Amino acid sequence: MKYLLENGHRKIGVLEGDPSFASNKNRHEGWIKAAKAFGVDTASIPYEYGYYSYNQSMEAVKKLLNYDLSAILCFNDEMAFAAKAAAGELGLQVPEDVSLVGFDNWNMSAYGNMKLTTVERNMGELAKEGTRVLLRQLEDGIIDHRRIYLDNKLIVRETVKDMREISR
């Protein structure tokens, strides 16, 4: 969300995953926080659920695109690829007509005809930290209830149009 806002987008929709997942809740809170930091009324941002599914995301994106959006934030890369397909069915091009940002840096995100701007989670560090917690529990009997937050990295590719020049 922050990157889209920094690039001048204000008509942004959000394609969320499954509302029953903790990761969805965290990402939802993240885009709300980013929008508020930029002074954007979060009630003006439409969102739909794609349930981390390509087919369900296709339908959800078609609903979102009824809002005349300049960008869609997708809660994973598979849903971003569905968003591109849905936009294409409606005659829209990425990023010329609608910008997309994904999440996860899925293997296919850098290849093919859409080089997706996405957020990469540090899965290696996540695995190391999970292993440390598990070993402490197994070896020392220490149960760790801390929430562990790791930094994510934005991978900028070719799916976000810079709207700053256009809005001047």
Side-chain angles (χ1 to χ4, degrees):
M1 179 64 78
K2 180 181 174 190
Y3 184 68
L4 291 170
L5 292 164
E6 288 172 343
N7 277 275
H9 291 272
R10 293 300 180 267
K11 298 190 309 187
I12 303 168
V14 182
L15 182 59
E16 296 198 358
D18 185 325
S20 69
F21 290 8
S23 62
N24 192 91
K25 182 177 185 252
N26 293 337
R27 292 174 194 181
H28 178 88
E29 290 170 357
W31 75 255
I32 294 283
K33 182 179 177 182
K36 286 181 178 179
F38 277 79
V40 175
D41 176 13
T42 58
S44 70
I45 299 175
Y47 63 95
E48 293 285 339
Y49 296 104
Y51 294 92
Y52 299 111
S53 156
Y54 188 93
N55 291 332
Q56 287 179 285
S57 295
M58 287 276 295
E59 297 309 311
V61 168
K62 289 175 185 175
K63 290 178 189 175
L64 284 173
L65 288 172
N66 286 323
Y67 290 94
D68 188 35
L69 302 173
S70 68
I72 299 174
L73 171 65
C74 303
F75 276 22
N76 79 2
D77 291 352
E78 182 178 0
M79 294 193 305
F81 277 82
K84 180 186 189 285
E89 285 185 10
L90 298 173
L92 302 173
Q93 297 292 313
V94 174
E96 294 83 359
D97 302 312
V98 64
S99 292
L100 297 175
V101 173
F103 197 98
D104 288 334
N105 198 22
W106 193 33
N107 286 342
M108 292 301 297
S109 299
Y111 306 106
N113 64 356
M114 181 172 79
K115 292 171 180 50
L116 180 65
T117 296
T118 186
V119 176
E120 179 179 75
R121 294 184 292 163
N122 189 337
M123 297 307 286
E125 191 60 32
L126 183 63
K128 283 182 198 174
E129 195 58 37
T131 301
R132 279 188 211 116
V133 169
L134 182 60
L135 286 174
R136 283 179 47 202
Q137 183 175 351
L138 292 172
E139 293 173 356
D140 304 326
I142 298 171
I143 298 175
D144 192 341
H145 293 288
R146 292 176 302 140
R147 279 189 173 225
I148 299 167
Y149 294 95
L150 301 173
D151 290 332
N152 295 319
K153 179 180 175 185
L154 179 68
I155 308 295
V156 176
R157 294 194 181 107
E158 300 173 1
T159 57
V160 175
K161 182 177 183 177
D162 188 342
M163 300 292 284
R164 291 172 292 194
E165 293 296 320
I166 295 167
S167 61
R168 289 184 186 165

